[in-house]
Amino acid sequence: PGGMIALAALLTVAAAAWSSSSDDSDLFSATWAEADAKFADACARAGRLASYPVQGAGSPTGEQLYVRACMVGYEGEGAPGARVAMVALAGVGGVDGFGPLAALLRVLRDCAEDGPLALPERTRGVFVAFVDPWGAAWGMQQNANSTDLLLNINNVYDASDAQRENPILMEYISLLDIPHLDDPAVQAQASKALPTMIAKYGAENVSLALQYGQNADAQGVAYYGTSETQERQAVVQLLRDYLYSLDTHIVLVDLRAGGEVATFGDWQFAPTDADSEPYALAWLSMSGLNGTRTVSTLAESDINTAPWPVYDFVRRMYPHAEFVRFRWTASTYASQDYELSRAMTLYCRWYGDLRSDECVQARAQVAQYCNPNTDQWNQLLLDNSADLFEIVYAGLRNLTRGYDSGGAVLAATPAVVACLCLWATIVVLL
């Protein structure tokens, strides 16, 4: 009963911030609590909400934190056509979820109002807000234990000792000297750490080291922990709650923000494994946007698939389903300009005071890196995300054409997609 009362209060607060005539500016939020309330309200209008509490950590103003999920569309094992599901995750990196969540809120609004970004018929959508709610609430890219969920969610804590060796990353952490970052001299040294490492080992090797992560220094960067986090447990549970054994296709989109990966306010659309690449290229052609949009290949996107493939645990959970996975990253600023601030937030978490002036400033800078929240960036992000959804929707429509009214599979095999991809490539070459 207490949980129902709290949810009712949440929806009441959100209703004041969200009207049926909301414009796009209402989709953005300044705090986790505001964004969470908007998501809960949008889901109440469009689908079914589920809440997974994160225990032992609260927001700066004391709110209980949740991983929230919203299911939209067909439900149940026997629902006709309920064989194709899209899972969209925002905020796996904590504070990087505000812009991506705004894009998801617009989809939920259109699902409720039958707008242009409503889900295609005979598909299901599972929308997840802030996989790392603590990071979002505190302006961090890690959870309350400084675990990088971008790594932990892929269960890299199960890696062998040989895979865990990461001398380049440990050297970088040593140069940052995080325990002493309150010293201006150490800050000056730390500001040069990343350029020093790139000059010594090359940008590609440093990037790979950061993607591999480490579990030797819990107060260091790219720490993936020694066990499964409760946030990852929440994701696994919501997938069990919302995906079904009869699903034949699961399309997962991880929405992020941060870094100069495209023009300011645009997105990088990239497959996160080799099998998903032909889907991305074929769906781009089906959408009719191949003249104005591009899809990055694995090589172009700098996504590392070894030693731990991205979201491979979903494929293991549903081995019968064709699993397609993409990453959308909203472009902001050059990451090198914010490395010191990101390291400073770790100092604040473990050795300083997150509420002190210098720590509030560091957290604000990290939040700016992930979420510029200017009128220009916000509008560009939404305008460009509409194209990305249309690309995926074109693929979803194609997949659902492969079923009769009873849900029996008629077509839409990977071979067909590969052929379409080859055709699209030939057209471009001509």
Side-chain angles (χ1 to χ4, degrees):
M4 292 300 294
I5 293 172
L7 181 56
L10 178 69
L11 295 178
T12 300
V13 171
W18 185 289
S19 68
S20 59
S21 60
S22 298
D23 60 23
D24 289 345
S25 64
D26 292 327
L27 303 174
F28 293 88
S29 304
T31 67
W32 171 84
E34 181 186 1
D36 182 60
K38 288 180 179 179
F39 183 79
D41 182 66
C43 185
R45 299 167 186 269
R48 179 163 59 91
L49 181 72
S51 302
Y52 305 84
V54 176
Q55 303 296 344
S59 76
T61 50
E63 293 100 345
Q64 168 67 53
L65 298 173
Y66 296 91
V67 178
R68 308 269 196 197
C70 184
M71 208 285 280
V72 180
Y74 284 92
E75 292 193 54
E77 294 280 359
R83 306 292 183 266
V84 178
M86 181 181 77
V87 179
L89 303 167
V92 181
V95 72
D96 76 349
F98 284 95
L101 182 62
L104 296 187
L105 286 174
R106 187 164 67 166
V107 171
L108 290 177
R109 186 181 70 189
D110 281 8
C111 287
E113 301 175 359
D114 197 24
L117 291 182
L119 281 171
E121 294 182 358
R122 301 170 67 183
T123 61
R124 288 197 325 282
V126 181
F127 301 96
V128 185
F130 293 121
V131 174
D132 177 11
W134 188 88
W138 286 90
M140 305 276 283
Q141 292 184 289
Q142 305 83 21
N143 74 358
N145 296 317
S146 288
T147 303
D148 187 335
L149 295 186
L150 298 172
L151 291 164
N152 184 272
I153 201 169
N154 291 305
N155 61 289
V156 300
Y157 47 81
D158 287 336
S160 67
D161 290 339
Q163 288 174 312
R164 288 194 178 110
E165 294 178 2
N166 197 340
I168 292 178
L169 179 58
M170 299 315 296
E171 183 178 340
Y172 175 51
I173 292 173
S174 178
L175 284 177
L176 290 174
D177 195 7
I178 291 171
H180 303 104
L181 274 179
D182 57 329
D183 185 337
V186 175
Q187 292 180 21
Q189 171 188 296
S191 67
K192 302 174 184 176
L194 189 60
T196 298
M197 296 298 296
I198 291 175
K200 184 175 182 179
Y201 296 105
E204 181 178 357
N205 287 328
V206 173
S207 175
L208 288 174
L210 288 165
Q211 290 185 62
Y212 272 49
Q214 54 87 21
N215 76 340
D217 185 352
Q219 289 79 47
V221 300
Y223 175 69
Y224 52 72
T226 58
S227 61
E228 183 181 40
T229 61
Q230 57 180 321
E231 295 90 349
R232 185 184 187 277
Q233 292 173 354
V235 171
V236 171
Q237 187 58 54
L238 71 86
L239 292 176
R240 288 174 177 154
D241 291 342
Y242 282 158
L243 298 182
Y244 305 133
S245 61
L246 294 179
D247 289 338
T248 60
H249 292 82
I250 298 170
V251 180
L252 185 145
V253 182
D254 180 349
L255 292 86
R256 304 181 179 184
E260 206 169 29
V261 297
T263 59
F264 187 73
D266 203 352
W267 299 75
Q268 181 190 68
F269 183 139
T272 57
D273 74 319
D275 291 339
S276 299
E277 197 166 286
Y279 281 96
L281 295 171
W283 292 358
L284 174 63
S285 178
M286 292 175 196
S287 71
L289 294 170
N290 46 315
T292 57
R293 302 295 311 188
T294 59
V295 169
S296 300
T297 64
L298 275 173
E300 292 169 339
S301 63
D302 193 32
I303 292 175
N304 177 36
T305 59
W308 25 80
V310 179
Y311 292 102
D312 217 40
F313 71 94
V314 181
R315 181 180 57 79
R316 293 193 297 271
M317 288 175 66
Y318 297 92
H320 58 281
E322 189 74 16
F323 184 38
V324 183
R325 38 195 153 168
F326 303 130
R327 178 183 298 172
W328 300 355
T329 306
S331 187
T332 60
Y333 307 108
S335 60
Q336 290 189 29
D337 297 339
Y338 291 83
E339 285 302 308
L340 178 59
S341 297
R342 294 160 79 179
M344 190 69 186
T345 60
L346 291 172
Y347 162 80
C348 294
R349 173 66 184 87
W350 293 106
Y351 308 102
D353 178 0
L354 283 169
R355 299 179 188 272
S356 69
D357 290 344
E358 64 177 350
C359 291
V360 169
Q361 181 180 10
R363 291 191 287 117
Q365 289 172 341
V366 172
Q368 180 187 48
Y369 165 73
C370 295
N371 177 39
N373 200 21
T374 65
D375 291 344
Q376 179 196 23
W377 187 80
N378 292 353
Q379 195 58 56
L380 286 170
L381 175 129
L382 290 176
D383 291 346
N384 289 309
S385 69
D387 286 348
L388 271 58
F389 278 110
E390 184 50 45
I391 293 170
V392 172
Y393 286 1
L396 296 179
R397 293 186 192 100
N398 178 69
L399 295 177
T400 57
R401 290 191 191 105
Y403 301 96
D404 63 19
S405 60
V409 178
L410 299 176
T413 65
V416 171
V417 175
C419 290
L420 286 169
C421 177
L422 178 60
W423 174 83
T425 303
I426 292 171
V427 170
V428 171
L429 290 175
L430 291 176

